[in-house]
Amino acid sequence: MSVLVNEASKVIVQGFTGSEGTFHARQMMDYGTNVVGGVTPGKEGMKHLERPVFNTVENARKETGANTSVIFVPPPFAADAIMEAADAGIEVVVAITEGIPTQDMVKVQEFLKDRNTTLIGPNCPGIITPGEAKVGIMPGFIHQKGGVGIVSRSGTLTYEAVDQVTKKGLGQSTCIGIGGDPIIGTSTLEAVKMLMADDQTEGIIIIGEIGGNMETDAAEWIHQNGTKPVVAFIAGKTAPKGRRMGHAGAIIGGKADTASAKMDAMREKGIIIAESPAEIGEKMYQALHQ
Amino acid sequence: MNIHEYQAKELLRANGVAVPEGIMIDQAGQAEEAARTIQKKTQTSAWAVKAQIHAGGRGKGGGVKIARNLQQVKEHAGHILGMNLVTHQTSEAGKQVNRLLIEQGIYYPGESEPAEFYMGILLNRDTGRNVIMYSTEGGVDIESVAEQTPHLIFREEVEAGLGIQAYQARRIAFNLGLHGEAFKQMVKFVIKLYNAYLATDASLMEINPLFKTSDNQILAADAKINLDDNALYRHKDYAALRDTSEEDPFEQEANAHHLNFIKLDGNVGCMVNGAGLAMATMDIIKLSGGHPANFLDVGGSANPETVEAGFRIILKDTNVKAILINIFGGIVRCDRVAQGVVDAYKAVGQIDVPVIVRLQGTNAEEGKKLIDQSGLKVQSAISLQEAAQMVQSTME
């Protein structure tokens, strides 16, 4: 097994005909993802990348049976796109878009409360289950099917961890880029719970950063319920207080959300901490071969 | 985006939130005229003269004075304008005061005792909802209130779909111990303030002190507003609120090149694609015995132009003793990035500090070869560990 996406996932692309949507849809298809169509309002009836284009997510779902959507819509329209997908009953919505206003996401969060949609992101690289489906913008070739689940708030830092894991001969079950914004659809804890329940996953890597309490919340749960080794790296030990470090959510607000405070709290809960980003793969390897 | 107190109060006033009458000046000679204008409107016989810088703790640093007559207004303005204000939120060097806010005095005698409260509106990241934090203890550092008397801090969370409800505003006014006219005014204030927070796309609104006058008016005596950068596109007029003199000159230049740059005070510069990897690279510099001189995310493309701009900005910092470029090539190919680094290096001309380039991902080997054969004094690495060791040996 794996989580969220697999070879049975039927994927539509929102913002299909735009340059980002086009480029990454093609990359996903080349990887083997079952992209069944896309949505661009006003272009229904057209074919794009040999796939049908629809005006609405509702139509796309009806015609193709899609259960997964990936969003490349520009920030002013992205929150709306997420709500449209949820309203149409899409089960997994992956929002790649960076730069959505926070108050738009406050509304989205409320909207999703009564719906059976799992939102991943926004401001994330997406999800990949190696060898089955890539729903996002990550480079496919660094991944390898295996037993390590990865949960991360970052993009390229995730690729770094994936690459280290692959070079250790371990491979990944599913890698979930949960996103770098202050409000995201799936928290570190929720992603960890999925991977903890997944048969294929033997160990979990958490890549966190400064800001918020998500990593320590996850550590608390793992301490009580964890059944697999968990390795964590928290980026931003050298980040100054009160500055936004690239990601909208990466800002130190108080004493508890510094990288050091998080690492200490997680270590106390039995999480294996990688002090250096260069040793994430090595720590996982050791944990699985003890 | 951070803005000044006087700008924050203009935004509040425009959204119907009660603030004291005030006028911003940037020359001491304008102080008396401003004070007279305020007096005509409000009949005040006292004024506050307040330094406008992007930092808290201005009063303690001597940047806020009360004037009892026009002569004192002039004296305080002359003294504060141009001064180097050092507060617990500025660097040791402080910040030069270029603007002043002259405001109506609000501590006048009347039927009841004046009172100072605290109110802040911000996002609760755990619930994804906006929360109003408030306290009976205003006019002091709220962080110390939170530490010493946490039971005096209250929270009111607002449902996104519904917005603030009247009962919530009443609960706040009751918890602040108000009654009569002051209670009514507070209920009105809270609702207006929350709606202003939404209307302006603020990421933080902090009113400290939130002031009850002796005649039971509720006013934002001080105001701090941070605006959500992601929402600036729908508030085109906010561009005028930006005060570039408050920004680091390096960061401004980087901004002009669309680079995400934050100046730090270390000795190893870095250039990275992706924010998370950039932070991790700073961390690995520290672990290798150096100190990061900056945060710099060149974004997805890492082309010759951005790399060159990055080089130039980093090299302006004379503390920089080495530069680490760390690129994980996903969609962007490492050989192309390597060519960009070589071109940029040549375009910059003389670079007197060691440069370490770490390329990993798509075509990493080709990229490394390109760097090694360029004849430039650039060391190349593939694994992050190797790069860290190279930084370490330059530090020794």
Side-chain angles (χ1 to χ4, degrees), chain A residues 119 138 155:
Chain A
L119 171 67
M138 63 290 282

Side-chain angles (χ1 to χ4, degrees), chain B residues 143-265:
Chain B
E143 280 167 11
S144 53
V145 178
E147 238 164 64
Q148 288 152 21
T149 49
H151 61 284
L152 296 178
I153 295 184
F154 303 90
R155 287 176 179 76
E156 189 72 41
E157 206 161 274
V158 180
E159 275 188 50
L162 301 172
I164 183 142
Q165 301 302 307
Y167 80 89
Q168 296 185 292
R170 288 201 301 275
R171 177 154 59 200
I172 291 171
F174 280 127
N175 280 339
L176 290 175
L178 297 173
H179 48 83
E181 182 62 18
F183 174 88
K184 268 192 227 164
Q185 292 299 325
M186 182 60 83
V187 169
K188 209 196 253 176
F189 184 95
V190 170
I191 293 172
K192 293 271 188 199
L193 187 72
Y194 186 79
N195 291 333
Y197 170 82
L198 293 186
T200 55
D201 270 307
S203 53
L204 171 74
M205 266 191 184
E206 199 171 37
I207 311 298
N208 190 22
L210 168 57
F211 197 77
K212 184 193 84 67
T213 62
S214 61
D215 53 356
N216 298 314
Q217 300 304 303
I218 304 294
L219 290 171
D222 195 2
K224 179 185 176 181
I225 297 182
N226 292 346
L227 299 166
D228 179 3
D229 292 320
N230 287 348
L232 291 177
Y233 73 87
R234 53 187 174 207
H235 303 278
K236 301 275 189 250
D237 50 325
Y238 289 177
L241 301 179
R242 191 169 160 201
D243 180 359
T244 49
S245 72
E246 287 282 344
E247 295 169 17
D248 179 273
F250 291 97
E251 291 179 18
Q252 268 185 62
E253 190 185 336
N255 221 300
H257 287 95
H258 304 289
L259 294 175
N260 203 338
F261 180 89
I262 292 173
K263 175 85 186 71
L264 302 169
D265 51 10

Side-chain angles (χ1 to χ4, degrees), chain A residues 15-211:
Chain A
F16 191 30
T17 56
S19 63
E20 291 279 302
T22 302
F23 179 82
H24 289 291
R26 189 177 284 133
Q27 295 272 328
M28 285 187 267
M29 285 155 66
D30 288 349
Y31 190 80
T33 309
N34 186 16
V35 176
V36 294
V39 176
T40 299
K43 294 195 174 170
E44 184 153 308
M46 207 181 117
K47 287 252 172 188
H48 185 64
L49 306 180
E50 294 159 31
R51 302 289 188 280
V53 183
F54 299 93
N55 279 340
T56 63
V57 178
E58 190 184 4
N59 289 356
R61 180 169 162 77
K62 235 183 258 164
E63 297 299 321
T64 65
N67 58 3
T68 304
S69 171
V70 57
I71 296 177
F72 292 98
V73 169
F77 319 108
D80 181 63
I82 296 169
M83 292 191 275
E84 184 186 354
D87 192 49
I90 298 287
E91 289 152 34
V92 176
V93 176
V94 180
I96 306 298
T97 311
E98 175 172 10
I100 303 177
T102 304
Q103 292 306 325
D104 290 7
M105 284 309 299
V106 169
K107 285 183 200 153
V108 168
Q109 195 82 327
E110 203 83 30
F111 188 89
L112 292 178
K113 278 200 175 115
D114 305 322
R115 288 175 171 81
N116 293 323
T117 292
T118 300
L119 171 67
I120 301 291
N123 188 12
C124 77
I127 320 167
I128 184 168
T129 294
E132 297 194 31
K134 162 174 128 89
V135 183
I137 60 172
M138 63 290 282
F141 77 95
I142 58 172
H143 298 82
Q144 182 185 303
K145 199 172 184 62
V148 179
I150 300 182
V151 180
S152 172
R153 285 168 70 182
S154 164
T156 44
L157 182 55
T158 316
Y159 312 160
E160 176 71 45
V162 166
D163 189 62
Q164 289 178 22
V165 167
T166 298
K167 293 211 162 105
K168 286 278 166 197
L170 292 173
Q172 306 85 36
S173 51
T174 301
C175 306
I176 311 168
I178 57 172
D181 274 359
I183 299 185
I184 50 178
T186 298
S187 67
T188 308
L189 173 56
E190 289 161 330
V192 164
K193 280 182 182 172
M194 293 178 206
L195 291 167
M196 208 57 95
D198 170 47
D199 310 340
Q200 190 189 328
T201 304
E202 294 157 15
I204 300 171
I205 292 175
I206 296 175
I207 296 175
E209 55 193 34
I210 54 167

Side-chain angles (χ1 to χ4, degrees), chain B residues 32-47:
Chain B
E32 188 177 347
E33 173 69 27
R36 280 186 195 281
T37 307
I38 293 165
Q39 189 168 41
K40 250 181 231 165
K41 274 194 184 166
T42 63
Q43 281 75 51
T44 186
S45 56
W47 297 264

